[in-house]
Every structure is written in structure tokens, then in C-alpha cells.
Amino acid sequence: MRVPISWLREYVDLPADAQQIADRLAMLGFPVEEIAERPVITGVVVGKIVAIEKHPNADRLQVCKVDIGGDAPLQIATAATNVAVDQVIPVATIGAQLPHLKIEPRKMRGVESQGMMCSAEELALPAEWFEDGIMQLDASSPLGRDVVDLFGLTDAVLDVEVTSNRVDAMSVLGLARELSASYGAPLRLPSFENPGTDEDPDGLAPRVTLDSSDCTRFIAQRFDGVRVGVAPAWMRVRLALAGQRPISNLVDVSNYVMLETAQPLHFYDAEQVRDGHLFVRNARAGETLVTLDDVERTLSPQALVVADSERALGLAGLMGGATSEVRESTTAIVLESANFEGVRVRRMSMQLALRSEASSRHEKTLAPALADMGAARAAQLLVALGARAYRPHAFGADLGASAAIELRARDVERLLGLRLEPQRIARHLELLGCGVALDGDRLSVTPPAWRRDLTIAADLVEEVARVEGYDAIEPVEPAVPAHDVSSAEYQLETKLAATLSGLGYREVLTYSLQGQQVLERVKRAGIAASREPVEVRNPLSEDQRFLRWALGPGLLEYFARVDAPARVFEIGHVFAQEQSVTEIPVLAFGFSAEAIDEPAWHDTHFLRLKGDCEALLRAVCGITVEATRDVKAGLHPGKTAVLMHDGREIANFGKMDPRVTRSFGVRLPVYLCNIFLEHVPEYRVPRYHPPSKFPSTYRDLALVTDFDVTAEQVSTIARRAIGELCLDVRAFDEYRGPQVGEGRKSLAIRATIGKYDATITDEEADAAIARAVEALRADAGATIRT
Amino acid sequence: MSELATKLDHVQTRFEEAVAAATDERALDAVRVAFLGRSGEVTTVRRGIGALPPAERPDAGKVINAAVERMESALADATARIENRAFEAELAQSVDVTFPAIAPTTGSIHPVRRVLQDAVAYFERHGFATVLGMEIEPDYYTFDALNIPATHPAREGFDSFFISDTLLLRPHTSPMQIRTMQSHEPPIAVVAPGKCYRRDAVDARHLFQFHQIEGLLVAEGIHFGHLKGMLTGLCRELFGADQRVRFRPSFFPFTEPSAEVDTTCPKCKGRTSACNMCGGSGWIELGGAGMVHPNVLREVGYDTEIYTGWAFGFGIERLALTRYDIDDIRRFVECDPDFLTQLA
Ligand SMILES: [Zn+2]
């Protein structure tokens, strides 16, 4: 909201420095987005044209005699065409400083000119918002009075942000009250007495029927003797400084009151309201209304309208209609100062994609009492313009007195850690407009009628803190008591990230929301997505329609971008649409690497990936889990493994399906591991096994087995057969080819054999190996390669 | 005897020539084998002893042994000489130490996680636990339980991504307040970092996904001063010991009193109108905080007459932008290797 400081000064004395005022507002909870400084203007005074003569030497110039309250009128030549005798106008006297001009004595075509009459633009006001030519001031302005001072033309304008709970402060008066409380400076309030006391002429009393509970209060008031014209200069300047274009005296009055009090108003041409009877009701389906912006709108029952018995006249709290609009011929008006349910106004505004200054206030639900205050202020201004005000009529619920809130001085100390005397607390609340009854430590507080946000003691504590200043609260380090909340999940993530970083992987963050094109890429690769993706109902764009169902695609995009061997990981959640929406915390890590020229049954990168995966799990859960072969969507069908523990899949890993890699534009082969964080077992402390003091020995065996016999099976059989002499069995080479025959492979294993209490003898070792060979033959169909 | 002595002289002369000619240890070894080896020249001479009269043999043996000793000693000297020459040669080398390093293959933690971990570490040191949560939450946890009424604009679907009528991507980490309090009796001291989502168009200052760290302390005797104390400490931990922290009144449905928390701009240290980090204000906005609203405490069944508490929620990206002087929030998700390397 744009707030001219000059307008604030009408209600409260403030420091000269705009920055200081802005800082104070921020510390009251109203941050200032911008301080718009005004250009320097000096030496402009109120003058009155007392005579006009033709310029002797120039057809386009006139020579005016202008009285500025001095001994003799000034002689000023002008090219402006809108001048006339008796006009009261701003005069820049000799020595005056205007935004782009310094006024000096000069001759215009031979005639001496002792100053310049100013247009609005020359006073740094928007030219298109004011009359062409010389600006017209109010006839009552004292001659010689400093115009800058009169209008506060050089005071900065603040752009103030108001939180949604404080719609009452979306007003100059509301902010002035805050500053007054904070500075402890008296507040100069305008009167909120409604001057309309006369009974309406017979049969012309406005009536209002509220056919919707979304209108809680409606003040209707008739005025006649209205003359539509230009508003007084002081009002137009104020509106312009506040960023509101002056339109006509009636429209300007409604805008002025709204900016001053936060209460939006609307004027109806009384002639256009059938029987003077207004209805607030739901719009009928398909009902049309041309709004003030000249757009014909088709309404639905969600819209709330103010209507007469025949037709909708306006959108409640949002915008008036064109038919009942005040026009130049209007002489009698009906004022609407109403209170609407904010949700209703907001939804209507969204549905119609229409916003207004009025709706920006109504949608936050104003206090009903503001309707009466707004009507009173409007009536005063209209009477000042010469209108006759009749008695206001209130419809809807009565204004009940606000319920008192009980507050104890120790509530303040308990929440703030700041001890304040009850008297001081009471004073702060009173400065904000609260009624306070003080009884020892107890305060009975009645919130001001214009505020709806004060309902409990904690609300009042915040008010006290704001007036006292948050800075007054001393920072203290709390003694945090013991509690029993576990950090295990976080620690797991932290440890995984640290370990992977140590293994040379870089952590990345990628978007959780993805577009159709990612799904398309997977489909184009000829495989089905591993999970049904979860769709967002209201995405901002098609690129963000689906929640990711795997982390792999994000990493693939990284590899595609880097196009060089890289190692990355991401920890994040993936989502799937199953019977219900599921969310799974996952860690994915992987690398892209140049392909190695090696036999089809051997993949060094796969074994490196497996090594990293095992190292990672050893670090976080202290155990090694045996891999078993599996098939996973997106991974190479022959190069995929899972790690199972207690029947749950801790991890899967393998080479990425080359069709997927290609589909994502990655040139290099990619190896990827997914770890399901919820399945990672708790860390188990490993036990130390001391080495034997006696030397061990080993035997290498070259076995020939079928393809599907795994290294793990062979090792297990051998280990079991060797028994307690077995220190280790490990496969270390594999070969497939014509020498070993179709469907068979050669597998080299090394068995390490030893004892803890003596040196093993060759005979013992040989006997153990013979047991192993026999078991391998019997259980795995393995023969010794010769 | 004299014949043997002459032979020995010859051997010795050739030995000395060979030693002098040897330039490395291998050549010296060859000399040793050729002269002193099992079938070396000295052995050949020694065999001549057998042809001498018995009376001359002991002297001849002594002469040969003495020669062998001299030769051994000469070899040792030569070895030492060659070794020294090698040391001298190596020590004479030098490199340009300013030449660019060969970078190791290292990994790294994402700057967002790094800042998060530093913030968490601060709270854990003060006795807080760390909890994680889910990103899809029912509206009960995101709104209702947090005193955000059904009619609140945040629930209209303009600010949050909805999955169904009641499920949405959490727009803040505050659901973890409710979940933690519902599963634990007071006192409670937790931080909850995690990913959040809001329907913001992506630009240099906004992403539709971001991270927050939520903090919650509920116990007897907890007040706003404690909130100021902890958050001031956090800012000093993250940005330096001279940081100042400002609490401005604000409005959140789930706290009362509420505050916006700012810290002094660590880049310009005050009002420098041209500062691109703070926009010239001298302050960086960190997020919201306040005393937990009594309705929230009541919702989880905590006795508001006994317990008070505070909560806060800060944007982690904002902390990281400020800490590393990053110009554009999109860099966090752009996966630019250079970005990740620079901050590793
Ligand atoms: Zn700065």
C-alpha cells in the first residue's frame, strides 16, 4: 500500500526522516518495500488571478496579474489556455526550485514575467491525472501559502506491506495509529460522527434486504443536492500521491475514505435503484453484469451481487456496475458501506479473475464497525462538498460490544521473558485503541471495534511486544531439557552422504517434479516405468506434472550434461501411485565411465559399483549383504543385482539398460545403485577376528561348472566342506570359451586354509581341498579343469 | 711367490680401472662378481697358492687377503661415492611449485546439505534431536492442526501443489511439529530439515521446491527471549560472530506472537545501496518464528498452562545463498559440475 508520509502527519507528529519512519513501521510489523522520495520543490505559493490581458507582441501568450497575498500582484506571462480571472493557482515565484527548472526573472517577448503558474506535472504529479494547463487549487486556499507545505508535496511516499490479519491497517489512519502508539505521540483522529440526521424524504429511504449471510452489515445512506465535478485539490493531490487516480468528486471521496479508514464504499445513482431497495444475494446462473471497467461478465451463483428488485447493480465488495454508476447528471446518491465475508469476496474475485482495491480489503474480512465509520467519514466529506446527508440506515447484525479478553501481567512475562508493569501493559494496549480495566495483575481488555484479530491473551501479548519493541526482549540461551526423540533417520542420511562423498561421489539436487517428456523417454527406451507416477493436480506447467518415481532419470540428465566420466549421488524421496500414494526415501548413486574392452561375461565397472555399494553398507550398517541376481526396470537384465536383508530389498544396482541411457542422451555406459533408506538395517557393531599366530596356506582350484553356478554358490560349498580350517574362499577369475565347452565356464577360486593352534600341514590342507572338490562335484556339478 | 704377487698386482690394477669406470651400483656389483666372486679373478689368483712351496703359502694367503680387504674397501668407497652422486643429482632437481595441482577424484556434499548440517549441528550441540518427515502430507498436518482454517487462502490451491482433495506436497516443514508432538510427551526439542514445495514460478530468487529447517522447543518456562537467543546463536554460527539478528513482528496462524527474522547482510555489513545480496537494506530475511499458538498446543493435547514453546522455519537455500554469495537460486538444482566443485 502506498502511503504518503504527508498524509500520516495529519494524524500524528513524526520524525522528518522517511527512513526512520520506515524502520519504525518495519519494527511494528509493517515492512516498507520502498521509500519513494519526492523531488525537491521550493518557492511555490498559492496565487489568485486578478486580471488577464493579451500579450502585446504574441498571440499565444497572455499576461496575468496574480495576487499572492503580497503588496502588489505579480505580472506573469503564460502560454496556458485554461487561465481565467479568480482562479486560484500554484505560483512558482522568483527563485523557486521546480523538479527540472529554477525560476528566474525573465522577459517573455518583451514583457517582464515575475514567476510561473504551475501545472500538476511541474509539481511532480502525474500530468494525465490532472487538468491540462495550470493546476486549479481550492478557492479557500490562503493566498501566499506555501503549496509544498500545504500538500506535503516533497514528503516521501512509503510502499507498506500489511499482513493479512491486519486489514484495518491497510489504511493511512491505521498505520498512523500504530506509529502514534509506538512513538507515544498523540493521535489526531477525525470525527466518526455521521452528520446525516435528517429523515429521508417520503418513500425515498433506502432499504436493504440481505439474502446472503455473507453480508454481515450494510449501511445505506441517501444524499441529495449532489453536484458531480472535480474534487478539491487537496484531496486530488493526496490521492495522486497515494497512487490513486482522481476521477470525480464522488469517486474520489469513496477512494479517499477507503485509503483513510480501510473501509471500501460504493455510491449508487439513486435514480437507478428501483424503489431505493437494494438486495444482497447470490447471482443467478447466467446473469450478466457490465462492471465499471466496461466488461460484460456472466455470473454464477458463486458470485455475490448487490441488486435492486430487477437486476444486479454490482459485485459485492469487488466492483460496481455501469448502469447504476454515478454520472454527471446525478444529483441524488445512495451510499453503500458494507461488510462482506472475506472468503466469499476472494473466491468471487478469483473466479472472475478480477481484483480491485476494494476486494483486496474485503477479502481479508473487515471489522463490521468499520462500515459505520466509513459511512460517517464519507458523509462528512460529501456534506463539505455541498450535499445534504440523510440518516444512515444499518442492516444486518448489530454491532455487539467486543468480548473482553483476560490478560495477566505474568502472561506477558511468561511468553516474552520480559517483565512489564501492569500499568505499562495497559498503556500500550490503550494506545492501540483497546479498552483496559486494570485490577492488580489482571487486565480485562476490550479490543478496538475495528480489529478482528485480537481474540486471545497471546494476541494481546504480541500487541504489547510490538509497542514495547521486540528489541526490548533480551536474547537468552535456553536450558534444553532431556527428551526422547530419536535422530536416527537424519544420522543415516548424514552418514550415507559422508561415505559416498569419501568414495568420490558428488551430491546433486534435481527437481522432484517432472514432465511428461521424462516418461516419454523411458517409454521410448522400450521399457515400462518401474512405478505408476503420482500426478500433481495443479502443476504450474506441464514440465512439473509428475512426482518422480525414481532418482535415476535425474542422474541420467546430469550424466548427459557432463558427457564425461562422472560420479554422483542424490538422496531424495520417490513417489508411486499404488492402492494409495506411496513415498519412499531413496539414495541413488552411480557413475558414467568409458566402456572397457573385456569379455561379455565380465564387467569391471559392475564390480566396482558393487564394491562401492558394499563399502557404503559396511559403513552405515556394519554388515555385508550377499548380492543376488535380479531384474529391474531400467537396469540391464543380465547385470542387475539386489541386496536383500530380512526379506526386504536394501538396494539394487547394476548397469543401466543401454536403451534408457541412450534415450536420455548419455553417451557413456552408466552404473547405478538405489538404496531404500527405510530398509537399511540398524548399524551392527562388527566383531574383531584376530589372525592366527600360525602361518596358513592356500590352494587354487580351476573348476569347470555350468553358467548358472555362481561364484557365491561355489564358495559356500567349498567353505562348508573345508569346515573350520577354512579362513577364506574367494573366486578370482572366470573364463568362458571353446576350451571349456558349450554352456560351461571355468571358475578359479582360492581357498585359504589354516589353524589357530598350530601350523597347518600339507597333508591336512590337501585333505581339506579333497573334501571341497568332492563337495563341488556332488553339489555343483563342478569338475577340476585339467 | 713373486709371480703370484705380479698377477695380484695386475688384477688389482684392472680392478681399480673397473671400479673407476663403474658409474652405478649395478656396474659395481658386476665388478665385485668379476674380481671377488666365487669364480672371480682373485679366486683364480688364490688357486695359485696351491702351487707354491708350503712355506710360502701362509704369506701368500696374507697378501691376497690384504688385497681383498683393500678391494672391498675400495668397492665400499665407490658405492658411497655413486650413492652420493645420485643423491646430489636428485637434490639438484627442482619444480615449479606454482604449477596447477593434479586434482584427486573427490566427492562432495551439496552446499544445501552442508549448510543444513551446520545448522543441525548447532542445534544438536544444544540438545535438540533431528527428525525427518514425508513430503506428501494430509491437509490436517499442513493446515488444520496448525491453526490454519479451511477458508485460509493458502488452502485454495494457488500456493501449494495438491495430489488429491486432502493430500498435498508440504508447503513448509511445520507438519513435523504436529507429528513430533503427537508422538512424544513434552518436553520436546527438535529440528526438522526437509524439502518443501510451493507453486512459485522459477526465477533467480524462487524455486518451486526448496528446503526448510523447522525448529521446535516446547517445555516449561520457554519464552520469546529463548527464541532470540537460539536464533542469534545460529546466525553467528553460520555467518560469523559479529552477526546481528533482528526480530520483526509478523503474522503466522500457528505462532503468537510471531516474528520475521533478519540477520545483518554478511556481504556489505550494513547499508550499501549497491549490495546485490541484501538489495541495499542491510538485512537478509531468514524466515518466520514465534511462540507456538495455544491452539496448536491444545490440538496435540499439551497443557498450555504448563507448557510454552517456540518454533521457527528458515529456508535453507536462502542461508546457503547468503553464506556462499550465490547469485541465483537455480544453481542449486542446475547440477553444474563447476558449481558443485567450487563449493566442495
Ligand atoms: Zn548487503
Side-chain angles (χ1 to χ4, degrees), chain B residues 265-272 275-284:
Chain B
C265 174
K267 191 171 186 180
C268 71
K269 303 270 176 198
R271 279 187 184 136
T272 304
C275 179
N276 63 344
M277 182 173 282
C278 63
S281 72
W283 296 97
I284 303 287

